[in-house]
Amino acid sequence: MSADVLEVQNRNRPRRARYRAINAIILTIALLAALLTLARVAVVVTGRTLFALGGADGRVSLVELPQLLQAELADGATGYLADLELGMRLLGASPMFVQAVVFMVAALALVRIVAGVAKARPFSGVVQSNWKLLTAALLGGGLLQGALDTVAFAYFGSRIGLLFGSGMDVSHEDKASFLGATYQGIGMGVPQWPFLIIIAGLAALALAAAFRLGAKLEREADGVV
């Protein structure tokens, strides 16, 4: 191996080490965020905390449903999130599940992009495909998350008579059967749309277009040479 090649390798070694450190940080943050989000999904779906020490009752309040701000039981009534209709719990947790998937898919795509840049191949086919994956994860996943939360909000509101005048069509018995208990006060928030993720997806879309243009110019330059 020539001295020039060794010199280039030695010069690039610190840069590649920095890129590896960046990738490790990206994956660690994404994994922790995804695990915390999935833990929250498990709590909502089961209606119970993941850990109940000392034989304590692990059931959580209905207000832990992401679409709610308030859930006040009627006098003498007892009720928990676990008593809520299972389909509603699954629907209510679905936006968070999508968010966890977005975290991991976006992180994996970003790591592959960084790896391509570290190898001085920013316009390679692998990098281009991962720009598309990153855009789809952020933009598509963000829109899906917001849509699911809107559906969950509308479904819950219609079942308890808080949406579009549906209260006239929901009896106290039906409401109690759906909720699993009698509540004297329930407050709902508004559908949550992950605007930061969607904006990041739009930024990734613009960057992907720029990298495609760079790849095209690189191919044209190679053809001229």
Side-chain angles (χ1 to χ4, degrees), residues 77-89:
T78 58
Y80 301 91
L81 178 57
D83 302 320
L84 179 65
E85 183 182 88
L86 176 60
M88 183 63 235
R89 282 182 274 143

Side-chain angles (χ1 to χ4, degrees), residues 113-203:
I113 291 171
V114 172
V117 173
K119 296 175 182 177
R121 298 177 58 192
F123 304 124
S124 66
V126 173
V127 172
Q128 296 300 311
S129 62
N130 279 283
W131 271 118
K132 293 178 183 178
L133 179 60
L134 180 62
T135 300
L138 294 174
L139 191 55
L143 292 172
L144 178 59
Q145 182 183 340
L148 285 172
D149 198 62
T150 301
V151 171
F153 178 88
Y155 179 71
F156 187 92
S158 67
R159 290 297 303 270
I160 64 173
L162 290 181
L163 192 68
F164 306 134
S166 57
M168 294 182 294
D169 302 323
V170 181
S171 66
H172 291 294
E173 292 76 13
D174 289 341
K175 186 187 302 185
S177 175
F178 172 68
L179 298 173
T182 303
Y183 289 82
Q184 65 179 7
I186 290 182
M188 299 181 65
V190 296
Q192 299 298 307
W193 285 76
F195 291 112
L196 289 179
I197 292 178
I198 294 172
I199 292 171
L202 292 173

